[in-house]
Amino acid sequence: MDTRQLRHFVAVAETLHFGRAAERLGMTQPPLSQSIRALEAGLGKALFARTRRSVALTPFGEAFLPHVRAALAGVEGLRVTAEALRGGAAGRLALSFVSTADYSVLPALVQGFRARYPGVELALTEMTSDMQIAALIEGKGHAGIVIPHGDDPLPQALSYRRLLAEPLVVAAPESWVAEGRLPEGPRLSPEAVIDKPLIVFPRRAAPLFHDLVTGFYTARGVRPQVAQHAIQMQTIISLVSAGMGLALVPRSLKNLARAGVVYRDLDGTAPVLETGIAWRRADETPTLRNFLALVEEGAVVAKGDASG
C-alpha cells in the first residue's frame, strides 16, 4: 500500500467511474485498474463492486474511504510542515537569558518573534552568563542573552551582537530616605552611595557586571562594603527592599516596581552595562536564523533608556 494507490482509490470512489477517474489522475484506465486490484489484494478485501455498467463502493470500501482521506490529508500536511520547518516558521528556538534582560530586551524580543513566527515553540531559560556560554559551547540551546566578559573575548566558536547599553542606577531601601541615610531627590551623588552596604552579583556569575559595580567604588578610592551576593536580580531587589543594602542595577530595572525600593540616577558619568546576544557560529537552525534576522532588522526595541 502506498499513497499513489490510495489517491487512485479516492479518485474512483468519488467518480464511481474508472475512465473519469483515470482522466482526473492524468493516466490511462488499465494501470488505474491494476493499481486498484493491487490495493484490494493487499487489503484482502474488495473496495468496489463492479458490473459491466456500474461501479459502486462495497461496504468495506465505503467504511475505508474516510480513513484514506484523513491519511492523505496527513501526508499533505507533512509537506506543509516540512516547508515550515525548512523556512523556520515552525520548529523550536531555545533562548536563555540573564535575569537583567527580563526587564529590558527580553519582552520585546519574545513579543516580536512570537508575532512573526507563532508556529515556533520558544523555550526560555534563565541562566547566568557563564552558564549560558558553557551551554552554547556544549551545543545546548540556540542563543543566549548575556552580559559579555569585558575585555575577555567570547570563545571563537561563538558570535556576538550587542543589543543594549544602559547606565546603572541606584536601587535603595525606601526606609533609608525616611531615616535620612539617603537624601531626597531624583539623583544621588557618588559620595552618598559609596559608604553604604552593597548587594551585588558574585564575580563568577557576571564578571563584567561585578567589575563594573566594584570599579565604581575603587575609582573613588573606596573598597565596597559587600553585604550580600545574589545571582538573581529579583533576589537583589528583594534584599534591597529588606534594608540589607543598596545595589547598582541597570536603568531598565526601574520597570521592576517593588514596595520598599526607590530608584535614583547617579550624578556625573554612571557606569554603563552592555547586554548582547551570543550564538554558535556554525548553527544553521532556521529558527535561529530568523531570530537573528529579526534582531538585525531593528524590530526589537528595549524598554527603558538604551543605545546601540
Side-chain angles (χ1 to χ4, degrees):
M1 188 188 307
D2 58 35
T3 56
R4 178 181 55 86
Q5 290 176 322
L6 296 178
R7 288 190 177 91
H8 292 172
F9 164 61
V10 171
V12 177
E14 291 178 348
T15 61
L16 295 178
H17 193 284
F18 277 83
R20 287 195 292 270
E23 184 177 353
R24 177 198 289 188
L25 294 166
M27 61 191 299
T28 60
Q29 183 172 334
L32 175 59
S33 299
Q34 292 173 5
S35 177
I36 295 298
R37 283 196 294 270
L39 178 59
E40 290 175 323
L43 294 170
K45 200 77 172 174
L47 295 167
F48 298 101
R50 305 165 178 85
T51 69
R52 300 185 67 177
R53 294 184 177 182
S54 66
V55 176
L57 282 164
T58 63
F60 172 75
E62 189 171 353
F64 190 49
L65 180 59
H67 297 282
V68 173
R69 283 175 170 151
L72 291 175
V75 171
E76 289 302 318
L78 288 177
R79 181 178 291 107
V80 173
T81 298
E83 292 174 355
L85 288 169
R86 187 171 61 248
R92 185 174 184 270
L93 178 70
L95 179 66
S96 53
F97 61 95
V98 290
S99 62
T100 54
D102 201 16
Y103 305 97
S104 57
V105 296
L106 185 66
L109 281 168
V110 170
Q111 183 178 10
F113 188 77
R114 284 198 184 281
R116 187 169 298 187
Y117 302 105
V120 174
E121 176 193 355
L122 186 56
L124 300 172
T125 305
E126 184 176 335
M127 301 170 66
T128 58
S129 295
D130 59 328
M131 293 178 64
Q132 290 188 66
I133 291 168
L136 288 169
I137 292 297
E138 293 174 5
K140 300 175 182 176
H142 296 113
I145 302 174
V146 301
I147 296 171
H149 287 209
D151 296 330
D152 185 15
L154 291 174
Q156 288 189 342
L158 300 183
S159 292
Y160 173 82
R161 184 192 187 280
R162 188 176 75 167
L163 294 174
L164 173 69
E166 58 182 329
L168 300 186
V169 300
V170 179
E174 189 174 30
S175 60
W176 286 11
V177 178
E179 295 166 1
R181 295 180 64 182
L182 284 177
E184 296 185 4
R187 307 184 68 86
L188 290 173
S189 67
E191 292 71 27
V193 173
I194 58 178
D195 63 341
K196 304 296 190 297
L198 176 69
I199 304 168
V200 67
F201 275 96
R203 193 177 191 281
R204 62 173 175 76
L208 178 61
F209 195 5
H210 180 277
D211 293 350
L212 193 65
V213 171
T214 57
F216 175 77
Y217 290 77
T218 56
R220 291 162 176 80
V222 176
R223 184 185 182 90
Q225 303 175 36
V226 177
Q228 184 66 47
H229 289 103
I231 63 172
Q232 301 294 332
M233 188 55 67
Q234 299 93 323
T235 303
I236 289 177
I237 297 302
S238 292
L239 295 175
V240 171
S241 176
M244 289 190 64
L246 56 74
L248 299 186
V249 300
R251 181 175 289 178
S252 56
L253 256 290
K254 289 184 175 182
N255 293 309
L256 175 56
R258 184 66 180 264
V261 178
V262 293
Y263 296 96
R264 298 287 186 266
D265 291 336
L266 283 164
D267 281 334
T269 303
V272 175
L273 181 71
E274 180 176 321
T275 302
I277 184 166
W279 68 95
R280 288 183 297 279
R281 294 181 187 273
D283 193 340
E284 298 181 355
T285 303
T287 52
L288 173 62
R289 182 181 64 239
N290 289 344
F291 179 75
L292 296 174
L294 189 70
V295 173
E296 289 296 330
E297 289 174 12
V300 174
V301 179
K303 293 182 179 179
D305 295 339
S307 62

